[in-house]
Amino acid sequence: MKVALVHDWLNQYGGAERVLEDFHTLYPEAPVFVSMYDRERMPAEYRDWDIRTTWMQRLPLVKKKHQPFMPLYPIAFESFDLSGYDVVLSSSSAFCHGVLTRAETCHVCYCHTPTRFMWDYFHYVKRENLGRMTQRALAPILFRLRPWDKAAADRVDYWMANSRVVQQRIAKFYRRSSTVIHPPVNTTRFQPASGHDDYYLVLSRLIGYKRIDLAVEACTRLGKRLIVAGSGRDAESLKRLAGPTVEFVGRVNDEQMRTLYARCKAFLFPGEEDFGITPLEAMASGRPVIAYGAGGALDTVIPGVTGSFFIEPTVDSLAAALTAFDPDVYDPAAIRAHAEGFDSALFRQRIQDFVEQSVARYRAGVPTFE
């Protein structure tokens, strides 16, 4: 079976790229088709991959700031010649599901989310803190892109969603059914410690929609120790909110990260995410999670077993959850066992099974999974 992998872009590293890595592990001979690739900013092992870019690769500044080139991505992805492949497996949060395939090719898409700036415009503008001029320039572009994106979604034969909330969005915006397969977590990298220290932990990019401000303000108000690991454009503003019990340690290496996870009282996850890998890394370390009760956290946190929720995205709500929290009622072994259900090896098996079932259904003329 000849497979092609398709991904939006390779100029930043995050959860979507971890998914792509597992796809590549499953199909190591498959070429990876992307709009553009920044060799220096991606992991060194990518240099051994067969990565094929569009003509956008030659555009000035596109690798550093890919968002302003939005109108060009549909044309770029439609320019790929994917004839001769039995399966196209795309990993999409933007445009790459819009590639054109022949009738004999089965297109399976793993969706991280339907494109935010098209279908969740007002939330996207708020979370990216876009100015009025940018918003005015963006609105007419999106008006033209939404019909293309809906048509592009119709080109996909079978959909996978990375969480239940993304599954709902696919149904809402694309009117398509999908199967939830949660993203992979390499649980073998993490191990529980023999006990915990007296600090809460945030490990994140420090940007607005992550709502790190809630954790900083709640812990400052209650006088609880909080360690914030990570960097980002909101670092200085968050430091101005912080009291003496909040410590910013910046970016940490793998060994420091594992220690911080394993020794924390609990991991705080105050933003609403499509899924969220870091809570599961904390659980793989045997530690409970206090999360905002929305988005992907609803798929991973089990109240009373692996953590707890706060109900409103406010300092008061998180402070109340912190006040009621008792870390010693949680069993680290049970938390770890729950995280192992999301392990990378299981993810790869689920993807392989889904692709094989999709191909069989496609050849039998069965259009969707119901």
Side-chain angles (χ1 to χ4, degrees):
M1 186 167 64
K2 193 173 180 183
V3 178
L5 304 178
V6 185
H7 194 68
D8 288 309
W9 38 65
L10 288 175
N11 67 334
Q12 56 190 6
Y13 189 80
E17 286 65 47
R18 296 189 197 187
V19 167
L20 180 65
E21 288 169 357
D22 272 3
F23 286 178
H24 193 266
T25 298
L26 276 174
Y27 307 106
E29 302 304 317
V32 180
F33 293 85
V34 294
S35 58
M36 48 79 180
Y37 167 45
D38 189 336
R39 187 173 185 270
E40 303 306 317
R41 297 174 71 181
M42 302 308 293
E45 57 265 27
Y46 285 27
R47 298 171 191 178
D48 297 326
W49 295 8
D50 179 2
I51 296 177
R52 305 182 189 184
T53 60
T54 70
W55 44 264
M56 291 186 71
Q57 180 76 10
R58 300 188 294 274
L59 297 178
L61 304 179
V62 71
K63 297 176 191 175
K64 292 185 177 179
K65 292 290 271 186
H66 61 268
Q67 294 91 338
F69 296 88
M70 220 180 286
L72 300 180
Y73 289 102
I75 305 168
F77 277 108
E78 289 181 353
S79 71
F80 277 130
D81 180 4
L82 296 174
S83 58
Y85 292 97
D86 301 300
V87 179
V88 167
L89 176 57
S90 59
S91 163
S92 179
S93 60
F95 297 98
C96 75
H97 59 278
V99 292
L100 301 174
T101 59
R102 293 173 63 87
E104 59 267 25
T105 302
C106 179
H107 182 177
V108 181
C109 180
Y110 188 90
C111 183
H112 304 278
T113 183
T115 317
R116 282 192 191 88
F117 46 79
M118 291 188 209
W119 302 107
D120 195 11
Y121 170 74
F122 294 105
H123 183 248
Y124 175 80
V125 165
K126 183 178 180 182
R127 88 173 208 168
E128 296 296 325
N129 197 26
L130 300 181
R132 288 183 178 272
M133 292 299 293
T134 302
Q135 292 182 44
R136 288 174 182 171
L138 190 59
I141 295 173
L142 297 182
F143 180 77
R144 293 177 178 271
L145 284 177
R146 285 191 195 103
W148 176 87
D149 192 52
K150 177 59 174 69
D154 289 340
R155 299 171 190 168
V156 174
D157 298 302
Y158 304 97
W159 285 91
M160 294 174 281
N162 77 347
S163 66
R164 286 180 292 169
V165 70
V166 169
Q167 184 182 52
Q168 291 168 357
R169 292 175 197 162
I170 292 169
K172 171 77 172 179
F173 304 133
Y174 296 155
R175 304 300 185 194
R176 299 292 301 276
S177 63
S178 60
T179 298
V180 174
I181 299 180
H182 296 115
V185 180
N186 186 356
T187 60
T188 60
R189 296 174 60 206
F190 306 96
Q191 291 296 327
S194 57
H196 65 80
D197 296 329
D198 189 23
Y199 67 87
Y200 293 96
L201 175 66
V202 163
L203 193 153
S204 173
R205 287 181 294 151
L206 305 184
I207 53 180
Y209 80 92
K210 300 285 188 179
R211 297 311 312 267
I212 311 304
D213 58 304
L214 298 180
V216 169
E217 290 193 66
C219 289
T220 295
R221 178 190 294 182
L222 298 173
K224 295 185 181 293
R225 188 180 176 208
L226 172 67
I227 294 178
V228 179
S231 60
R233 60 177 179 252
D234 287 357
E236 293 306 313
S237 62
L238 289 170
K239 288 176 183 178
R240 289 193 292 269
L241 291 175
T245 61
V246 180
E247 179 184 0
F248 292 82
V249 297
R251 299 183 70 174
V252 295
N253 61 36
D254 282 356
E255 183 178 352
Q256 292 168 326
M257 174 184 67
R258 286 193 290 269
T259 300
L260 286 170
Y261 275 138
R263 301 297 307 182
C264 71
K265 199 173 188 178
F267 183 77
L268 305 187
F269 193 63
E272 180 178 352
E273 299 273 3
D274 302 325
F275 181 67
I277 296 291
T278 51
L280 283 165
E281 291 180 339
M283 292 180 207
S285 307
R287 302 313 307 151
V289 174
I290 301 174
Y292 172 47
L298 297 173
D299 287 18
T300 59
V301 178
I302 303 174
V305 179
T306 67
S308 63
F309 292 122
F310 62 101
I311 304 306
E312 298 176 350
T314 64
V315 175
D316 287 344
S317 185
L318 176 53
L322 289 168
T323 301
F325 179 74
D326 180 359
D328 297 320
V329 304
Y330 294 92
D331 178 6
I335 297 173
R336 164 79 186 182
H338 174 69
E340 288 174 341
F342 297 83
D343 187 69
S344 298
L346 291 174
F347 171 79
R348 290 192 295 271
Q349 187 60 60
R350 289 165 185 154
I351 293 295
Q352 186 175 38
D353 290 346
F354 187 87
V355 169
E356 290 176 356
Q357 291 166 19
S358 296
V359 171
R361 284 173 173 258
Y362 188 73
R363 289 173 178 168
V366 181
T368 59
F369 286 88
E370 297 296 346

